[in-house]
Amino acid sequence: MTTLTGVGPGRGELTAKAGYGVTQRRVLLSEWTKLRSLRSTLFSLLAAIVFVVALGILISWAQASHWDQASQIDRLTFDPTNTSLSGVFLAQLAIGVLGVLMFSGEYGTGMIRATITAVPHRLPVLWAKSIVFAVVTFVLMTVSSFVAFFGGQAMLSSKHIETTLGHSGVLTAVVGGGLYLTVVALLGVALGALVRSTAGGIAILFGVLLILPLIVNFLPSSWYDNIDPYLPSSAGQAVFAVVRDSSSMAPWTGFALFCGYAAVLLAAAAVVLRRRDA
Amino acid sequence: MIEVQGLTKRYGEKLAVSELSFTVRPGIVTGFLGPNGSGKSTTMRMIVGLDQPSEGSVLINGQRYRDFRAPLCEVGALLEARSVHTGRSAYNHLLALAQTHGIPRRRVSDVIELAGLAGVARKRAGGFSLGMGQRLGIAAALLGDPGTLILDEPVNGLDPEGIRWIRTLLQDLAAQGRTVLVSSHLMSEMALTAEHLVVIGQGRLIADMSVADFVAGASENVVHVRSPRAPELRDLLLSADVTIRADGVDVLEVSGLPSARIGDVAAAAGIPLHELTPRQASLEEAFMALTHDAVEYHGGSASTLPHQPGDGAAQAVGGAHLETHGAGARS
């Protein structure tokens, strides 16, 4: 028992006085360790990077190679920025699933018991997971977004239909690709904490982001025009579109609404995490 | 010191734990016993704040768990099932827990060494055997060098060497003045490890006493007697508080009389004895008798021990017995 240094029941108080104790900053570090120590997380992040970069370049190449056959309307509404960022749509799957897993993975394996025993106030865990995963997503996806943009424009330049960061709205859109995925990440984290199950969280997240727009599409067009712009997906995706149709929201207005949805879900997750038995 | 006061947990209509009150003192190992589903795990989860009690409270060294600034340095808990992400290595699992408190990496290495996990610390916890998983859980519990330890079925899945390791570890931790609460459904294990027992059945307290008192109180000694003139001897021994079972033609199981007295009676009557063996009911039997009653009487206020010897225990073990109760007239 030589490795155990403590003697007596008051030992805990002594160590607490020695400076040990839960702080938000320490929980952040802990969540960072958790994130980087799972191989599945690293693979998913790698997949998201590949999706954004490779798909953006591939679709830009396809557009350039078929430009000569493109219709007049297609040419007029062509958005070179958004085209090079099309991989974001696929990457949101990897990011969203990872976001859900931040909590559902802990509930599924029982890790949540260890986590909550260490941080009985619970909310620091929600904030730490949100911040760590949002920052990691933003950094990786914004960089990927820029790489996809430059790669895509290089493909499009063969037909001289490329754009540059200097054009109005383009820089916003490229950063917007990273921002959109960051908020998708937060939606995933909040849903994972709310429903606790991986399957349930993923179903709700992509039901709302991918399926809901399809269903709204079947509504009468006057309804559609009034509903579609306010859907989370449409509002969020406004931030990385440069060429917009008349009904969609302005980039930052749409993005603000998208953030609002995430904020509401995170608040609900906070209430539930605090109240429910773990 | 853990003070459980009027603890109640309701899941809808069902009462998992009902007005449970007991105190766990430092310096000794306290066994927390009950059949499966009796509310042990629920109680332990409420102690560390995973579950909110419907009523009542738990104080650890006078404070609620949630109010500790450094909970891992106050209470170390090993809870039922695994509490580890299967994809993470043992080292990273412990490191992530340590980091929430600012506990240094050196301590992580120490507990890995202590739990005998040095060889597998970098391997994914999902590949661990049940025993390895338990060792990892114990390493996590010891991480903050806490003054209180709460372990739910820690010997589950451990090999004999591991069981001995746990037993020694718990006793050493208690000897250092720590408060140790260990749950189990195995009485025999508790007999070797614990000094004090808290027994629950159907979420209610059945007994709160030392292991020695528990055995002494719950089981009356039975004497195994073999004699060619057994029926005669039985008639001589019968009295108000003596119970005799005739097992076969020449065997008597006598409870309520010391073996010396039986020998004396036989000698005085000139009855030869071929065997006279005092047999103490095991802790297991005592436990069975006690919890059997709790089930039978639906956990009513059974805080006293049953006085009818062998009521549940012996019958649960035995085959076809012929039971004879003393008429009380003879002495």
Side-chain angles (χ1 to χ4, degrees):
Chain A
M1 295 312 306
T2 48
T3 34
L4 277 174
T5 50
V7 175
R11 178 65 192 166
E13 284 163 40
L14 288 177
T15 41
K17 276 172 197 149
Y20 300 160
V22 181
T23 64
Q24 182 67 67
R25 208 177 58 79
R26 285 171 172 169
V27 180
L28 272 169
L29 180 63
S30 166
E31 289 300 330
W32 166 243
T33 299
K34 283 188 194 170
L35 185 79
R36 67 172 176 74
S37 61
L38 282 182
R39 219 185 304 167
S40 55
T41 312
L42 303 180
F43 283 139
S44 302
L45 287 172
L46 190 67
I49 293 170
V50 171
F51 290 159
V52 171
V53 174
L55 202 64
I57 294 175
L58 196 69
I59 288 185
S60 299
W61 168 81
Q63 285 286 0
S65 63
H66 286 70
W67 186 253
D68 296 335
Q69 294 97 59
S71 70
Q72 196 60 34
I73 295 214
D74 283 348
R75 290 180 182 223
L76 280 172
T77 58
F78 183 66
D79 184 339
T81 312
N82 198 241
T83 300
S84 65
L85 298 179
S86 50
V88 168
F89 290 100
L90 187 55
Q92 69 178 343
L93 278 175
I95 295 296
V97 167
L98 259 186
V100 170
L101 278 170
M102 294 290 285
F103 270 103
S104 71
E106 291 211 6
Y107 279 105
T109 56
M111 177 69 201
I112 194 73
R113 284 190 286 270
T115 301
I116 286 182
T117 312
V119 188
H121 279 283
R122 303 184 183 190
L123 292 193
V125 177
L126 176 63
W127 309 142
K129 281 187 190 296
S130 301
I131 292 168
V132 166
F133 191 45
V135 168
V136 166
T137 303
F138 180 71
V139 170
L140 292 179
M141 292 301 107
T142 304
V143 170
S144 305
S145 199
F146 272 99
V147 173
F149 174 77
F150 290 121
Q153 301 317 309
M155 293 294 147
L156 296 172
S157 66
S158 64
K159 300 290 177 191
H160 308 291
I161 49 173
E162 80 277 18
T163 185
T164 65
L165 287 178
H167 278 82
S168 154
V170 172
L171 183 59
T172 299
V174 177
V175 175
L179 284 173
Y180 172 76
L181 290 173
T182 303
V183 179
V184 169
L186 290 173
L187 288 171
V189 172
L191 279 172
L194 274 171
V195 303
R196 299 176 171 206
S197 109
T198 306
I202 291 172
I204 294 173
L205 180 60
F206 294 111
V208 169
L209 288 182
L210 304 178
I211 312 299
L212 198 58
L214 292 181
I215 293 170
V216 170
N217 211 13
F218 288 111
L219 292 173
S221 63
S222 60
W223 291 21
Y224 173 84
D225 290 344
N226 285 322
I227 296 175
D228 183 71
Y230 305 102
L231 293 180
S233 49
S234 310
Q237 286 155 16
V239 79
F240 62 99
V242 175
V243 179
R244 284 183 302 280
D245 60 57
S246 55
S247 67
S248 65
M249 299 178 89
W252 293 118
T253 320
F255 186 67
L257 179 60
F258 194 40
C259 289
Y261 287 124
V264 168
L265 272 189
L266 280 170
V271 171
V272 165
L273 185 64
R274 193 65 199 253
R275 290 234 180 110
R276 248 191 325 204
D277 288 344
Chain B
M1 171 102 85
I2 305 171
E3 292 159 277
V4 174
Q5 278 165 355
L7 205 60
T8 300
K9 182 68 182 179
R10 232 175 266 111
Y11 293 110
E13 286 293 287
K14 193 180 167 290
L15 266 177
V17 175
S18 175
E19 290 164 35
L20 194 58
S21 296
F22 61 87
T23 300
V24 185
R25 292 193 313 274
I28 55 169
V29 176
T30 301
F32 191 28
L33 282 157
N36 288 330
S38 57
K40 300 186 299 286
S41 295
T42 306
T43 303
M44 290 179 139
R45 291 164 57 81
M46 286 192 280
I47 293 176
V48 294
L50 285 175
D51 286 4
Q52 196 67 35
S54 304
E55 280 156 47
S57 66
V58 182
L59 294 181
I60 300 153
N61 297 331
Q63 263 185 292
R64 286 194 315 162
Y65 186 83
R66 189 173 263 210
D67 296 335
F68 286 126
R69 213 171 77 78
L72 293 185
C73 300
E74 301 283 348
V75 182
L78 168 74
L79 296 165
E80 103 280 15
R82 286 199 201 167
S83 310
V84 180
H85 198 297
T86 44
R88 200 170 280 125
S89 73
Y91 179 83
N92 281 322
H93 170 71
L94 294 170
L95 178 63
L97 290 178
Q99 282 171 333
T100 60
H101 281 56
I103 294 168
R105 280 168 189 264
R106 179 171 27 84
R107 179 66 189 168
V108 174
S109 308
D110 283 354
V111 293
I112 283 173
E113 198 69 43
L114 179 70
L117 290 169
V120 294
R122 298 285 174 177
K123 295 212 168 78
R124 289 171 67 250
F128 280 16
S129 66
L130 198 53
M132 283 295 186
Q134 291 290 57
R135 283 172 181 265
L136 178 55
I138 286 161
L142 294 174
L143 200 55
D145 197 11
T148 303
L149 283 141
I150 296 166
L151 308 164
D152 199 358
E153 305 270 0
V155 301
N156 250 5
L158 287 181
D159 52 16
E161 192 235 340
I163 292 175
R164 217 176 52 211
W165 170 71
I166 282 273
R167 205 180 286 155
T168 319
L169 177 69
L170 294 180
Q171 283 166 345
D172 287 349
L173 289 166
Q176 290 168 358
R178 296 175 211 251
T179 306
V180 182
L181 180 65
V182 192
S183 85
S184 180
H185 61 273
L186 296 173
M187 282 300 302
S188 47
E189 181 51 39
M190 286 298 100
L192 293 166
T193 314
E195 217 175 293
H196 196 87
L197 290 178
V198 172
V199 185
I200 66 170
Q202 303 219 329
R204 290 168 191 271
L205 188 70
I206 296 177
D208 181 356
M209 58 178 64
S210 74
V211 172
D213 287 351
F214 184 79
V215 178
S219 61
E220 215 150 320
N221 298 340
V222 173
V223 183
H224 182 83
V225 185
R226 186 185 293 272
S227 166
R229 287 160 64 188
E232 258 178 84
L233 181 60
R234 190 193 68 195
D235 290 344
L236 290 175
L237 294 174
L238 274 177
S239 72
D241 40 359
V242 175
T243 305
I244 300 175
R245 292 154 192 259
D247 194 0
V249 196
D250 57 349
V251 175
L252 300 174
E253 300 281 348
V254 183
S255 40
L257 279 178
S259 53
R261 175 98 183 96
I262 298 169
D264 290 350
V265 170
I271 297 171
L273 294 181
H274 294 173
E275 194 180 340
L276 184 65
T277 318
R279 188 171 65 80
Q280 197 178 45
S282 71
L283 203 50
E284 205 80 62
E285 287 170 334
F287 175 57
M288 294 268 283
L290 208 54
T291 51
H292 171 78
D293 283 357
V295 173
E296 199 166 47
Y297 305 121
H298 297 287
S301 63
S303 50
T304 51
L305 291 167
H307 292 296
Q308 273 301 325
D311 233 26
Q315 274 172 2
V317 176
H321 290 297
L322 177 79
E323 197 157 346
T324 323
H325 284 280
R330 306 183 64 134
S331 54

